Structure formats: C-alpha cells, structure tokens
Amino acid sequence: IVQSMLDKKQWAAASSSLACSFGNNGGITGLNEGPHAGQMAAASLPLRSRQRRALSTAPPTAPPAQQISSFPSIIIGPNHRLEPQGSFAEAQAAFLEPPMDVVESMLDQLIDLKVGIVAHYYMDVELQGVLHAIKRRQMELLHQQQLDEEDGGAGVTSSTGNSTASARRIPEYPMVAIADSLKMGDDAVNMCAQNGVSSVICLGVDFMSESVSAIMSKNGYAHVPVYRATSKHIGCSLAESAEGDAYRAWLARSAASPKKSLHVVYINTSLETKAVSSSIIPTITCTSSNVLQTILQASAQMGPDELQICYGPDTYMGDNLVSLLDAVISSGWSDERIREDLHVKHDRETIKALRDNIDVYPSGNCVVHHMFGQSVVDTVLNDYADAYVTAHLEVPGEMFQIALRKSLDDEGVVGSTSNILNFIERKVEEAAKNGSPAAADNGGGEGKKRLKFILGTEAGMVTSIVRSVQDILDSNACQNVEAEIIFPVSSEAVLGVEEGENGSDDSASALGVVPGVAGGEGCSTAGGCATCPFMKMNDLDTVHDIVDMIGSRQHSDSNELELSKHLPPNRLAGRSIDGKNAIELGIEPIMYMREFMKEKRLSEELVERVERGKKLAA
C-alpha cells in the first residue's frame, strides 16, 4: 500500500527523516522534539419539521455541487467564533450551540430519573451538541454546588441555577459521556458506581449496546438495564462482515496451522462474533489505539517466527498495520531505534518476522471509511499541501498513505478517533501558547495563524473537536489562532434537497446537504461520504422518547413492553458453545485485552491456550 505512493528507494531515502511514534496510545506522528514527543452529512441529519421550516427561509442557492470547488470546512476562531464553509459544514455547525431550554430540560430528567447516557463520537451533530452542553452544564452546576457548600449554605444547586434547601444534589460523575466504543462501557460502569443510575441509554450501533451491557454485567451491574435509542436494528457493515460462514472458515483454517495461532479481533464486532471466535481459536480483542502494541507484545512474548497473528475483520486496518511495519523496515530503522520507539523486545529481524506472519481477513470494511476514494485523495494532494492530515486506521490505503507520509514530519497522524483528537489538541495547544498574551509579553508570539486539519474519519466527531479547540483557545486567552476542520467530501456526494413547508418540492427552499453512506442517500462511490447512516439512527427525538418512556415506567408499567424492544440484542442468552456459557465466552477476549492494557503483557491463560492450540493442530 505505502509503496504505491513512495517506492522502496524513496522510503530508504526518507530514513533520516522518518519520525514515527508507535507509543502505547497507538497514534503515529512525528518525533521532532525527541523520540517520545509525538502522539496520532449528514445521512440522516435529523432536521425536524420545525427546523426544516426555519432553514427553508434562506434564499435559494445553486446546487451545492456547483458551488463547492474544495472541501467543506468549519473554521474555529477565538471567542467561540465558528465559520462554516459549504453546505455540509453548515449542516454540521447548525446544532453546535443548542437551545439551553432543551439542555436544561434533559439534564433535569437525567438527574431526576437517574439515567445515564453513553454515546459514541459519531453521533449526529444535533444530538452531540445537546449532549456536550448537558455535560458542560452539569459540571457548572456541580462547581456552584461545591462553592455553596464551602460557604456553609444549606441548599444545593438545581439545574435552573437556583439554590434551595429542597433542590436535589448534582452528581459528581457526568451523566453524559461521549467516547469510543471501549470507554463507553467503562463510563457506564462509573455512572452506576458513582451516580447510582438506574438505567443507561447507549447511543451507537447494536454491538456497542451489547458490549456496554456485558461490561456492566461483568462489573456487578447486570440489574441495570441498557436501552438503545430506537427499537429498530442498528447494524454495522464492519461488524456484520465477521458474522458469516466465510469469517469462521478463515478462523478454522488459521487454527489448523502448524504454527501457534492467535486471533486479534477488532472491538467493533458483536459479542456473538467474539464468542464463536473464542470457540475456534484463542482470541483477544483490540482497539484502534492498542492494536499495534497488542500484536507487538504477542509476537515478542510467544516468538515472532512461531506465532501466526490472524487479524480481522477490518481489512483496511490490517493492511495498514502491515504497511506500517514494512515502512519501519524499508526506511532503515536501526535495532536500537526499534527498541526505543517501537517495542523493547523487537529488532529489525523480529519486525520482519512479525510482518510476514500476519494474516489479514480479506473481506471486511466500514462503509464510511471505505468511501475515502480517489476523488478525495486527489483533492487532498492537489489542494491541501499545507494541511495536517489525519486518518483513522480503518481508512483505505490511499488516504492512509497521505496521513502516514505527513506523520513522518509530525504533520499528520494515523490512529484511533482518540489519537486524532489528541493530535489536533496538541497542535492547537502549541500554537495557542505561542500566540498567547504571555508569549507576546515575553517578546514571542506570532501573527494570525490558521491551522488546517483534514478529518480522515467520520464527521460526527467534529463536535468534540470544536469543544476542545474552543477550550484551548479560551484557556490561553489566544486571539490570533484559528483551526480549520476540513471534511474530505467529494462534490459528487453533495445533493440539493428541495423540501417545502409540507414536505413538497419547492425550489425556493433548497437545502444543500451531504447525505449518508448508502448510495441511495446520495453518496458518491468516487469517495466522499463522511457520515455513518447506522450511527445517525440515534437522534435527539429518539433520545427524548426513550427518556420519557423510562420516566413513565416509574409511574406505571404501561411502557415496560415497549422499553423491552429497546434492549440490546440478546442472541447469546441461554446458549452454550462447546459446553461453555456463550456470553462468558464472548466477554473472555475483552477481559484478555483489559489485562494486557493493565499489565502490558498477555495473560498466561491466553498464552497457554495458544500453546495448547498448536499441539491440537499438530
């Protein structure tokens, strides 16, 4: 993959400037400050009828595909200034500052009903805007409550800002958490332990609610129900690619190998996939943040020449991992550098052996990341040479190549959503400090500066980016730094949607939006869909509905049946595989990963299973 952009001679020539950090956080970025300094439309945008009518009063415009000569973007400036560029960005920015009455009302309900919400980064912007505002408002009220108590006041703060003796207490742990799929489970457990929540709403795809429920159960909170925002099935193209016979046959072939075999499965899969996999071959889950360290440690611990690592189901991520290892070898990293920057137990020969012993499942991908095609790549190369480029490990090789090459000079990052967010925060923090009043007083500082970031992942995480950048600029009192978040969306993917007051066609009310990934929703196969239609099945209306149902249930049982339809998939309930409880078997790979994250070593139990598997194959 990498060699299609830079041939091996160019990689070798680049060895003096290759500066990647493969730290435990998994991000791949430059190391210009030292060996460890670097770190890595809205398809179903829920424009409710009243919002459609409000937006439709704008003057008619030409179709967006004729307006946009470059990618849409959002410019984040000092004093919370936002400048959306292009209709897609306008749609993303429209809900970043939600009405406070909506925020206050939902916070009141969450506290009164003891309901926690865990949401993935990829929620639609309207919902994310409200969730972020709820969390921020809760922390403000908590701070006021603490000040009142320090002053000896008998009252505690209510969500309306009043302080009365009868008002309830504000919980110390956030009632809303926005995170990646693994941390969503941890946040749910903390809400149970610290806030005493009686139910948790999980906003994501079905395997996420399933995993959150399993993690809560494992931590003693099986009695706390987890609800999805909708009763409909919320699928995931990547997770479902591991649920067929082809994936199981691939695992069975690997298990029959005369070598030791370990299956490293992406966390973004169903509990059933993890359970079935565990019954076929020793299995450990990974995240996009820890996958590199997982395979490095497994190889070092069990022998790089003897261990076969089967990675799935994400084909792009697996191929990109192989490319990263190949880049290390081709660019001339020394044994010393590999031990220092990659893994203490590895050298050039062991990295070669690891690379050659990775078997990547060939038929799995995420529909969102799959859509970063050649049209997008060409525009990034031709028009955005001065931009930082970020790419999730799941994106196709073309987009990944650009970000990887940029990362050599600390001008890009490849990794997880958290790695991407951390990279943007670090770059903005560096610029903000240099442009702060304190820097100017000391004779430093620069003129106005705009940092450009290509967002090579799902557009939903822009809300978290905007909030982080605004906080950084505020904390540094910086007035001369801007951050431009650029959405790599091809113009072919942008449609003009004409909808009148009653849903009828009306050219005077044309709205330019970028729909979701499904081809029928307007995405271009040339590349450019930046939103996930499955994630967008979670919207503000459905969250209001489920919260209302939970509240009504406390007064009557009339909604109990309807609420049961919102529970996570329960395909493993009462089942056993090879005489083992299927749910326990599905949780096992997650627990192996958690032990690795804690101890930095694979558990002896997992290693023994791999050894036994080799003997059985022999």
Side-chain angles (χ1 to χ4, degrees), residues 442-560:
N442 292 325
E446 300 177 351
K448 188 173 182 179
K449 186 174 184 179
R450 178 180 295 177
L451 308 179
K452 298 180 180 180
F453 299 93
I454 301 284
L455 186 61
T457 188
E458 219 274 359
M461 72 176 294
V462 72
T463 308
S464 296
I465 294 172
V466 168
R467 296 296 174 231
S468 293
V469 170
Q470 289 175 335
D471 289 344
I472 291 169
L473 297 181
D474 286 348
S475 64
N476 288 278
C478 183
Q479 294 295 314
N480 59 354
V481 171
E482 298 175 335
E484 183 176 8
I485 308 303
I486 300 162
F487 304 98
V489 178
S490 66
S491 59
E492 292 92 336
V494 184
L495 292 184
V497 177
E498 297 178 352
E499 183 173 332
E501 180 78 13
N502 299 313
S504 60
D505 288 349
D506 181 356
S507 60
S509 59
L511 296 176
V513 300
V514 175
V517 174
E521 293 174 332
C523 282
S524 163
T525 54
C529 274
T531 63
C532 173
F534 306 113
M535 289 288 191
K536 300 311 182 279
M537 290 175 71
N538 301 269
D539 61 47
L540 189 57
D541 285 344
T542 59
V543 174
H544 276 302
D545 290 343
I546 193 70
V547 171
D548 288 343
M549 278 193 282
I550 293 171
S552 298
R553 182 195 60 182
Q554 296 191 359
H555 304 292
S556 70
D557 295 331
S558 59
N559 283 315
E560 198 64 46

Side-chain angles (χ1 to χ4, degrees), residues 46-200:
L47 297 176
R48 291 171 289 176
S49 56
R50 66 176 186 277
Q51 294 160 332
R52 288 194 180 98
R53 289 195 291 272
L55 288 173
S56 67
T57 58
T61 58
Q66 298 175 24
Q67 302 171 28
I68 300 174
S69 59
S70 58
F71 292 142
S73 66
I74 293 179
I75 299 170
I76 311 165
N79 306 316
H80 290 215
R81 176 172 54 84
L82 293 176
E83 295 180 20
Q85 309 290 315
S87 57
F88 179 77
E90 290 169 0
Q92 298 297 306
F95 301 107
L96 289 174
E97 295 295 339
M100 282 309 296
D101 60 332
V102 175
V103 174
E104 298 281 8
S105 174
M106 184 168 287
L107 177 57
D108 282 344
Q109 285 184 291
L110 296 181
I111 294 175
D112 290 343
L113 300 174
K114 293 188 176 181
V115 175
I117 296 179
V118 293
H120 193 270
Y121 284 121
Y122 293 169
M123 292 299 98
D124 80 73
V125 286
E126 180 190 25
L127 178 54
Q128 282 219 47
V130 171
L131 295 179
H132 274 277
I134 289 173
K135 182 177 179 179
R136 188 168 62 247
R137 181 59 176 155
Q138 180 188 345
M139 294 300 102
E140 291 171 354
L141 294 173
L142 176 63
H143 179 65
Q144 184 60 52
Q145 174 178 279
Q146 292 167 341
L147 292 178
D148 288 347
E149 292 174 346
E150 289 174 5
D151 292 340
V156 292
T157 312
S158 70
S159 65
T160 57
N162 298 320
S163 183
T164 65
S166 60
R168 78 275 198 229
R169 293 188 60 78
I170 304 299
E172 293 192 10
Y173 196 83
M175 300 295 288
V176 169
I178 302 172
D180 58 26
S181 54
L182 178 64
K183 193 173 184 298
M184 287 166 67
D186 296 336
D187 285 323
V189 169
N190 287 331
M191 289 176 186
C192 293
Q194 299 185 41
N195 293 353
V197 298
S198 59
S199 54
V200 171

Side-chain angles (χ1 to χ4, degrees), residues 14-66:
S15 61
S16 61
S17 62
L18 182 62
C20 292
S21 167
F22 302 86
N24 289 336
N25 67 352
I28 317 300
T29 64
L31 292 175
N32 295 340
E33 302 84 25
H36 301 292
Q39 302 294 330
M40 199 203 94
S44 325
L45 186 67
L47 297 176
R48 291 171 289 176
S49 56
R50 66 176 186 277
Q51 294 160 332
R52 288 194 180 98
R53 289 195 291 272
L55 288 173
S56 67
T57 58
T61 58
Q66 298 175 24

Side-chain angles (χ1 to χ4, degrees), residues 20 141 164 183 185 232 254 385 393 439 445 565 580:
C20 292
L141 294 173
T164 65
K183 193 173 184 298
K232 298 176 182 178
S254 300
L393 275 173
K565 299 176 183 178
K580 297 181 180 179

